[in-house]
Amino acid sequence: MKLIPFLGFNGQTHEAMAFYAKALGGSVVSEMTYGDMPPSAGMDAEGCGGFMPQPEQVAHCQVEAGGAVLMAADGPQPGDGSATTINVDVDSIEEAERVFAALAEGGSIQMALAETFWAHRWGMLVDRYGKPWMVNCMKPMPTGG
């Protein structure tokens, strides 16, 4: 299991992650805009949980530096707009389901745990203490060549 900080931005993800990569001596290893994503069953006319992303906004960006991982996206910003979510990356569907259920107990589910084009299971929740979490059981990423 890995715990990965996930930063939320309001349109500044691309710029911020390039800055963090340079500052940390790492590199941006992946970036995808909402316009690059295939259609999703969780996205309808209301968007994703009331957030309607623009095609040019970043849906996912990942920086790697010295063995550390930092993820980010443009998305809805709770409270003062300084969203940081903890992403739990697990190796099996069963572990994703167990961790998600345990963290959701007494909290609220934002996006139900389900299969996506990038993950065998992915979901978002806010725990009973008001902290946001994502649970990911990633699919293998295609390699360029």
Side-chain angles (χ1 to χ4, degrees):
M1 178 184 302
K2 292 187 270 182
L3 300 178
I4 302 169
F6 191 99
L7 307 177
F9 294 95
N10 188 14
Q12 301 95 359
T13 297
H14 178 80
E15 179 182 333
M17 293 297 274
F19 170 79
Y20 296 142
K22 183 177 179 184
L24 299 171
S27 61
V28 174
V29 297
S30 67
E31 183 172 286
M32 176 182 285
T33 66
Y34 287 101
D36 294 333
M37 294 175 64
S40 171
M43 188 74 72
D44 56 20
E46 299 295 315
C48 178
F51 169 69
M52 183 57 75
Q54 298 302 307
E56 71 278 1
Q57 288 182 304
V58 176
H60 174 78
C61 187
Q62 183 167 318
V63 165
E64 294 181 6
V69 174
L70 182 63
M71 294 180 176
D74 292 317
Q77 301 298 305
D80 63 3
S82 60
T84 300
T85 300
I86 302 163
N87 180 38
V88 181
D89 188 17
V90 298
D91 292 330
S92 71
I93 291 170
E94 295 77 16
E95 184 72 349
E97 291 171 349
R98 184 194 69 76
V99 170
F100 191 85
L103 288 169
E105 189 175 323
S108 63
I109 294 173
Q110 308 300 301
M111 294 292 287
L113 191 68
E115 185 172 4
T116 67
F117 75 91
W118 73 87
H120 296 293
R121 293 292 182 277
W122 175 81
M124 292 176 63
L125 63 100
V126 175
D127 71 19
R128 68 176 77 185
Y129 304 104
K131 302 300 179 191
W133 294 82
M134 287 189 285
V135 175
N136 253 309
C137 176
M138 301 294 284
K139 292 179 179 175
M141 298 306 279
T143 55

